[in-house]
Every structure is written in C-alpha cells, then in structure tokens.
Amino acid sequence: MSASTPIRIAGATAAVALTGFLGYAVYFDYMRRHSPEFRKGLKKQHKKLAVAAEAQSKAEKERNSKLLRQALVEIQLEALPSSPEQQEAYFQEQVAEGEKTATMGPEYHVKSASHFYRALRVYPQPLELLGIYQRVVPPPVWALLIELTSLSGASAASSSGPASTAIPPPPQASVADIDDASPVVGEAPSPTSASASQGSGTDWEKVSEEAA
C-alpha cells in the first residue's frame, strides 16, 4: 500500500460526509418551506427545548436562593473585625476572594457574591461600594449580591427587637439608589480612610483599577 492511500481514503471519507451534510441541509430547507407537518414538528421541538431551558433556569435560581440563605446565616454568625487595620485587611481579603471565585465558573458565583457581601459589611459607604460593584462585578454575581442584600434586609427586619443581637446588615439598596449615589470610579476610599475627606481608592487596588 502506497503512502498516499490513507490520504485518498481520508479525502474520500471527508467528501462523502460533506456531501451527506449538504444533502441533509437541502432536504431540511425544502421540508421547512413546503411541509406544514415538518414545520409543526420543528415548532414542537423548539417549544420542548424552551420549556426544558426554563425549567433548568428555575431550578438553578431556586438552588442559588437556597445557597444564599445558607451563606447569609454563616455570615451573620461571623464576628466582624474590630480595629481599622483589621477591617482594612478583611476588606481586601474578601474582595480578592470574590474576584478570584467570580472567574471560576457559575458554580462558584454564590461563593463570590458572599465574599463581596462580606467586604460590603465593613465598608463605611455601602451604596458607593455597590455602585463600584455594579461596574466591575460580573452580572450573574452582581444579581446574586443584590439578592443577598435583600435577604439580609428581610432577615434584619424579622429579627429586630429589644433582645436582638444580630449584626446590622448593609443598607438594602435598589439599582436606582446605587445610580443616585453616583460614585466616582476609581476613587472609592478604603475602610480606614473613607471617613476622611481626602480618602482615595489605593487600598482597593484591583477593583478600582478595573473601574478606572
């Protein structure tokens, strides 16, 4: 057998496959144009796919909501750092973890939102930070973060009372509230300097660089 024989066989196989594909494409187009039953079958198939996709999306949303509620319970049981230095280190650590897990796939999005929320808890100006988050955090993680802040607000309202010792959550915010806050991109003060009039965003390097 000559060396060119396998090449000829491979070429013939590819030609047959291409011919079959083109033939099916012509058949499909003809049936789509001329057969009502064929079009009806296509519509049914598309409807089944849409229903399956919707069911999967609903199941994923319910799963994420459950994971968010579990994460909120864990977060509320955690002690916040007390000193400004500890708060700054905690803030930077949580933001870094949130950024890292946000890039690890959808299964880590709840974890990423939880880290960003932890950073939000020690930030003196949560609306301003949420405005920056809105610009730099991936949309799926951002949506989960907003849901987490809403759950936090509801949890605080249900547990409020004279005997409540729950840590106050960051203020619950809507997208309109965040837009009204109009943060200066790249100028977000760090937890230790936000109360000062000349605070800068140098203590939050990664997020402020992305926002710039």
Side-chain angles (χ1 to χ4, degrees):
M1 181 182 292
S2 65
S4 61
T5 300
I7 298 177
R8 288 199 299 269
I9 294 175
T13 302
V16 170
L18 179 60
T19 301
F21 175 78
L22 291 176
Y24 178 77
V26 172
Y27 166 79
F28 181 89
D29 184 65
Y30 176 85
M31 294 297 292
R32 182 178 60 84
R33 291 174 181 271
H34 298 87
S35 174
E37 290 298 322
F38 188 79
R39 290 195 299 270
K40 185 177 180 180
L42 287 178
K43 290 181 179 179
K44 287 183 178 179
Q45 185 178 6
H46 291 164
K47 185 176 181 180
K48 287 181 179 179
L49 292 175
V51 170
E54 183 179 356
Q56 181 179 358
S57 176
K58 182 179 179 180
E60 182 178 354
K61 185 175 181 180
E62 291 176 352
R63 169 185 168 273
N64 286 339
S65 294
K66 181 179 179 181
L67 291 175
L68 285 174
R69 287 192 293 269
Q70 294 174 350
L72 180 61
V73 172
E74 294 177 3
I75 292 171
Q76 289 178 334
L77 292 176
E78 295 173 358
L80 289 173
S82 55
S83 70
E85 292 77 13
Q86 290 173 335
Q87 289 179 358
E88 181 176 348
Y90 178 84
F91 175 84
Q92 293 176 351
E93 176 185 357
Q94 296 302 323
V95 167
E97 286 297 314
E99 289 177 335
K100 182 176 72 173
T101 51
T103 64
M104 295 171 64
E107 63 271 22
Y108 288 90
H109 284 171
V110 170
K111 188 173 183 180
S112 175
S114 300
H115 285 298
F116 284 124
Y117 178 78
R118 285 181 171 93
L120 187 67
R121 295 176 80 210
V122 298
Y123 200 78
Q125 301 178 31
L127 282 179
E128 181 176 339
L129 181 56
L130 281 172
I132 298 176
Y133 279 164
Q134 187 179 16
R135 289 167 171 79
V136 300
V137 171
V141 178
W142 161 254
L144 292 172
L145 177 59
I146 290 299
E147 184 176 351
L148 187 55
T149 61
S150 298
L151 289 172
S152 174
S155 174
S158 63
S159 62
S160 62
S164 175
T165 58
I167 298 172
Q172 183 177 349
S174 66
V175 174
D177 293 331
I178 296 167
D179 291 338
D180 290 341
S182 301
V184 179
V185 177
E187 294 294 332
S190 69
T192 58
S193 60
S195 59
S197 60
Q198 296 181 347
S200 68
T202 57
D203 292 319
W204 191 24
E205 296 177 357
K206 290 185 178 179
V207 176
S208 60
E209 285 175 1
E210 290 185 41

